[in-house]
Amino acid sequence: MSSPENTGTIIRFPDLPSATWGKNNGRVKELSSGDGWRLSIASIDKPGAFTPFPGQDRITVPVEGELLVLTVDGAEHGMEKFRPFRYSGNSPAEAALPTGPVTVLNTVVDRKTTGASVLVAELSKKNPQTIGDGQFVVLLHGSATVTAPDGSTSALEPLDAVAGNTGRPAVLGRGFAAVVSFYPLG
């Protein structure tokens, strides 16, 4: 096995501590955070209001469950699995769960200092998804490995993440992954 600086830091989802969010609406695990940004995975176990994030922007991606209906500023948005939705953390947001509990990937950034993008990509065993500084790959479904420049590999399980670096670790596999990029504004 190669060193973390070559493969990228692997963040094992089962090993992360969890905390309740909202009024006991579910549990959240922080994958990583930095100055002006945060990446987390949260279960939404019952309907209710989302935690407000004034001055920040959010991208929410349902990753488990059938359907999340999110009402933001009075407008209803039916959110299907693996479809990112961007909205203001200033806006009141309320979740409805017409088909049961849902798990989401959350990206939150300070809109004055940090930008973010989330792309859900189908993984390939032949064409690697490489990631650099400020990027993460989160395995959403299927199986994958992260490969270091020296060719050594580490297996990933669903909801595990890999933090990129200058070594540009590569993720190969079958399934779907979220590629999350954070970048400074200005």
Side-chain angles (χ1 to χ4, degrees), residues 155-168:
L156 301 176
E157 297 295 326
L159 303 183
D160 284 351
V162 179
N165 59 35
T166 56
R168 302 205 43 90

Side-chain angles (χ1 to χ4, degrees), residues 63-168:
V63 298
E64 292 178 349
E66 293 299 316
L67 177 66
L68 168 64
V69 177
L70 192 59
T71 302
V72 179
D73 284 332
E76 199 172 90
H77 304 273
M79 299 172 60
E80 297 175 335
K81 191 188 285 190
F82 304 159
R83 308 242 187 219
F85 178 65
R86 181 184 297 267
Y87 56 104
S88 171
N90 293 359
S91 299
E94 181 121 358
L97 305 169
T99 59
V102 174
T103 300
V104 297
L105 176 69
N106 283 313
T107 303
V108 180
V109 294
D110 180 330
R111 75 171 55 98
K112 291 181 182 176
T113 64
T114 309
S117 67
V118 178
L119 169 71
V120 175
E122 186 171 4
L123 294 173
S124 167
K125 287 192 174 191
K126 293 182 181 180
N127 297 311
Q129 178 64 57
T130 59
I131 50 175
D133 281 332
Q135 292 185 302
F136 294 82
V137 166
V138 181
L139 181 61
L140 303 179
H141 176 77
S143 62
T145 58
V146 59
T147 304
D150 68 5
S152 60
T153 62
S154 297
L156 301 176
E157 297 295 326
L159 303 183
D160 284 351
V162 179
N165 59 35
T166 56
R168 302 205 43 90

Side-chain angles (χ1 to χ4, degrees), residues 5 21 23 35 37 43 45 47 95 109-110 137 151 159 172-173 179:
E5 56 273 2
W21 68 268
K23 295 182 179 175
D35 189 25
W37 62 270
S43 66
D45 299 328
V109 294
D110 180 330
V137 166
L159 303 183
L172 294 160
V179 180

